[in-house]
């Protein structure tokens, strides 16, 4: 995967020991790392019923959205946003991972071992999704779901 080495360096930079994190991933690319949110990025976590349609909307308006994760069983979708977003987020139904929280992150260039996986892997440049744009995409996706479900 192009940029995998820079993506690894970018993700590992927030680890308590970036070199150990990087080496562990190189030894086992199907492994995961537990990384602290709130340093280089926060994560907004949506139920996948809304997360996947939101990613579809973002993909239509952005050349490259920020990194997006899907968790075990595809129950939740996590969008990487600028650090500090979690402390300011007021939307209902959205969980946040910011300063003081940790998330499970798979190697950005390898195949996941069936747990957390990248829907949009980091590109190594530090690209993140703008929270205002994410919110607008969530509203559009929710409106479409309401219409599909007969709620509107």
């Amino acid at each position: 995967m192009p940029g995998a080495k820079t993506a690894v360096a970018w993700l590992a930079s927030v680890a308590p020991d970036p070199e150990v994190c990087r080496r562990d991933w190189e030894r086992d690319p199907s492994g995961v790392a537990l990384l602290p949110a709130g340093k280089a990025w926060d994560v907004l976590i949506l139920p996948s019923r809304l997360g996947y349609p939101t990613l579809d909307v973002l993909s239509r308006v952005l050349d490259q959205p920020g990194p997006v994760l899907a968790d075990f069983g595809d129950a939740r979708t996590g969008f990487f946003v600028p650090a500090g977003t979690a402390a300011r987020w007021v939307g209902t139904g959205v969980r946040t991972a910011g300063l003081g929280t940790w998330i499970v992150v798979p190697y950005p260039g390898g195949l996941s071992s069936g747990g957390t996986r990248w829907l949009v892997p980091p590109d190594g440049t530090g690209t993140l999704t703008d929270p205002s744009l994410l919110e607008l995409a969530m509203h559009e996706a929710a409106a479409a779901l309401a219409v599909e479900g007969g709620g509107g």
Side-chain angles (χ1 to χ4, degrees):
M1 168 184 169
K5 284 190 185 279
T6 55
V8 167
W10 178 71
L11 287 169
S13 71
V14 302
D17 188 335
E19 275 304 303
V20 168
C21 179
R22 186 187 57 72
R23 277 195 311 268
D24 286 349
W25 263 336
E26 287 172 355
R27 277 195 291 266
D28 183 10
S30 67
V32 297
L34 188 60
L35 297 177
K39 290 184 175 186
W41 36 260
D42 286 354
V43 182
L44 298 181
I45 305 161
L46 285 62
S48 284
R49 183 176 188 289
L50 178 60
Y52 279 104
T54 298
L55 178 56
D56 287 343
V57 172
L58 282 174
S59 296
R60 288 194 308 264
V61 298
L62 293 174
D63 288 334
Q64 177 68 32
V68 182
L69 287 172
D71 76 348
F72 303 96
D74 276 346
R76 288 175 293 278
T77 309
F79 293 83
F80 280 53
V81 294
T85 301
R88 297 184 305 275
W89 192 262
V90 292
T92 58
V94 176
R95 295 168 66 187
T96 62
L99 196 58
T101 61
W102 296 71
I103 64 164
V104 174
V105 179
Y107 179 76
L111 297 174
S112 176
S113 58
T116 304
R117 62 188 173 85
W118 292 107
L119 298 176
V120 178
D123 62 8
T125 66
T127 299
L128 299 168
T129 298
D130 178 278
S132 298
L133 188 56
L134 177 60
E135 184 176 13
L136 291 172
M138 287 169 52
H139 287 291
E140 184 175 325
L145 286 171
V147 168
E148 288 172 13

